[in-house]
Amino acid sequence: EPGGIEVYAYKERVLLMAEVRAPDPLPAGPLRFGARAEWLVCEEICIPGEGSAALELEVGPLADSGHAALFAEFERLLPEAASSPYAMEWRPKGSSTALTIRGLPEGATADFFPLPSAGAEIGHTVRNPKQPQSILIPAKPPFRGVLVVEAGGERRGWMVEAPRVGGTEAASPPQGVGSPGLLLALFYG
């Protein structure tokens, strides 16, 4: 996007999660939690927005908030910490990296959402519609990201890392779901 902005769009509903830790030891009285956010609302042009919110909670015994099912629903959408079940081949291609994913089911689509290191810039990834297993990432490794595969109406994601030089990341079977945090939740709307 113009200005070097990386854009991730949300469809339907989204829950942006963040882990919050209370001070230890807990002070007497209510605890006040605050957040400040900036965002862009885009269709044909982007309109910036910003806001603040605060929540005051009484210190007391653990209680059900009534929102546990909502958090569980969205936690299932987070990328898995286990290795991807697909073999991935990373090859240098000029100033970019070509990712080829082997073993995708028939009709499956794949996306890669890079998570750049502090100060690093990674442009938009490019998918080849004729080769759904191939993705071009405009950056040189090392970098991490989320591989998302949609097959049979199900969408799953895995944390993956591009090695320093071209190579293959071996496939291994999924081993459960991790909860890597706020940045990963941003990609699953």
Side-chain angles (χ1 to χ4, degrees), residues 23 45 60-61 65 76 88 93 96 106 118 137-138 147 162 167-168 173 178-179:
I45 62 166
S65 70
R76 283 189 298 276
M88 292 173 282
K93 189 170 184 176
S96 296
E106 184 69 32
I137 303 149
L147 172 66
T168 301
S179 183

Side-chain angles (χ1 to χ4, degrees), residues 1-177:
E1 297 296 315
I5 298 172
E6 185 67 40
V7 176
Y8 297 103
Y10 304 107
K11 295 178 186 175
E12 300 169 17
R13 301 180 325 155
V14 63
L15 175 64
L16 304 177
M17 294 183 268
E19 186 174 310
V20 177
R21 294 183 188 267
D24 186 18
L26 286 174
L31 292 176
R32 181 177 169 81
F33 296 91
R36 184 178 177 323
E38 296 177 358
W39 60 85
L40 293 173
V41 178
C42 305
E43 188 168 341
E44 292 183 26
I45 62 166
C46 292
I47 301 169
E50 63 180 271
S52 297
L55 174 66
E56 199 166 274
L57 299 173
E58 291 294 330
V59 175
L62 186 61
D64 182 5
S65 70
H67 300 290
L70 177 68
F71 278 86
E73 173 189 345
F74 279 90
E75 189 172 41
R76 283 189 298 276
L77 298 175
L78 290 175
E80 297 182 26
S83 296
S84 160
Y86 308 105
M88 292 173 282
E89 180 183 349
W90 307 85
R91 289 183 333 278
K93 189 170 184 176
S95 62
S96 296
T97 303
L99 168 59
T100 302
I101 305 151
R102 307 268 185 234
L104 287 176
E106 184 69 32
T109 59
D111 272 313
F112 181 78
F113 298 93
L115 298 171
S117 304
E121 285 190 28
I122 298 180
H124 292 282
T125 58
V126 179
R127 284 186 4 203
N128 182 342
K130 294 180 182 178
Q131 295 179 316
Q133 75 279 8
S134 298
I135 300 171
L136 186 64
I137 303 149
K140 289 188 176 185
F143 53 82
R144 297 176 338 125
V146 179
L147 172 66
V148 177
V149 174
E150 194 160 345
E154 183 181 358
R155 186 176 185 185
R156 293 179 62 196
W158 298 269
M159 286 295 305
V160 297
E161 189 166 334
R164 279 196 188 277
V165 293
T168 301
E169 181 173 304
S172 63
Q175 302 172 1
V177 176

